[in-house]
Amino acid sequence: YINSYSGNKRSKYFGAVTFGKLYSEFGSKKGMPDSEGFQRIRGITLGNVYTTFYSFHKDFGIIGCIIAPVIMAIVIMFIYKKALRSLLDPYKFNFYLFLYGHLAISLFMSFFSCKITESNFNLGFFRNLLYILIVEWYLKKYIGIQDIKETII
């Protein structure tokens, strides 16, 4: 990518490469990154081995490579701090603990590609968040925190 770099041809649409999976789920091929610029061996593409910065650079340039990780760090640290509260009362349902568990895997995988946006900005992820919120509401309304403690202890 760097050796063949001839200036950044930015995406035509906002975040087309970064949010490509979300665009494709709404039926748009605009955001789907093709294998252009990816390394090939005997005609077989190796895929995105440029870390998370490839998508940010393709969509937002050098500034995006600086600002996007800062935004990711702020959001994930906020969720992490909220998830730590589950240590104070392990019997209490903590939505942020589930959310951080999912984001931590994506954050680790960002060394290989933009997993943060690929895994977390799609309809399946938002559907799963809704399921977790429904389960949380059900547990609080019909089971109650006190009943959980008595059942476990």
Side-chain angles (χ1 to χ4, degrees):
Y1 180 72
I2 292 175
N3 290 337
S4 64
Y5 182 73
S6 60
N8 190 18
K9 297 175 187 171
R10 290 200 181 167
S11 304
K12 189 175 180 182
Y13 302 96
F14 177 80
V17 178
T18 305
F19 305 111
K21 180 136 181 162
L22 187 62
Y23 279 131
S24 69
E25 287 181 346
F26 284 110
S28 173
K29 295 291 183 190
K30 299 176 205 174
M32 289 304 295
D34 56 9
S35 60
E36 174 191 338
F38 292 162
Q39 298 294 321
R40 294 177 176 269
I41 294 179
R42 295 184 190 109
I44 299 171
T45 183
L46 298 178
N48 181 1
V49 290
Y50 303 122
T51 74
T52 194
F53 294 106
Y54 175 80
S55 299
F56 299 149
H57 186 260
K58 206 67 170 143
D59 287 331
F60 310 114
I62 300 281
I63 299 297
C65 290
I66 296 167
I67 293 175
V70 169
I71 293 170
M72 285 182 353
I74 290 169
V75 169
I76 291 176
M77 280 305 298
F78 172 78
I79 293 169
Y80 175 74
K81 295 279 186 186
K82 295 279 192 177
L84 277 180
R85 291 185 182 174
S86 67
L87 296 176
L88 300 175
D89 190 2
Y91 299 107
K92 188 174 181 182
F93 187 89
N94 189 338
F95 168 75
Y96 292 101
L97 187 61
F98 287 97
L99 184 58
Y100 182 72
H102 184 79
L103 290 175
I105 294 168
S106 300
L107 184 62
F108 173 73
M109 294 302 290
S110 66
F111 286 104
F112 305 106
S113 70
C114 196
K115 284 294 178 191
I116 288 284
T117 57
E118 290 171 8
S119 301
N120 303 313
F121 285 96
N122 60 52
L123 295 178
F125 176 70
F126 293 124
R127 183 190 65 232
N128 289 342
L129 284 182
L130 181 63
Y131 291 158
I132 291 171
L133 288 172
I134 290 170
V135 167
E136 179 185 22
W137 170 80
Y138 180 81
L139 289 174
K140 285 181 178 179
K141 180 153 177 86
Y142 294 107
I143 295 177
I145 301 302
Q146 199 65 1
D147 293 338
I148 293 174
K149 285 182 184 178
E150 291 172 4
T151 304
I152 294 175
I153 296 176

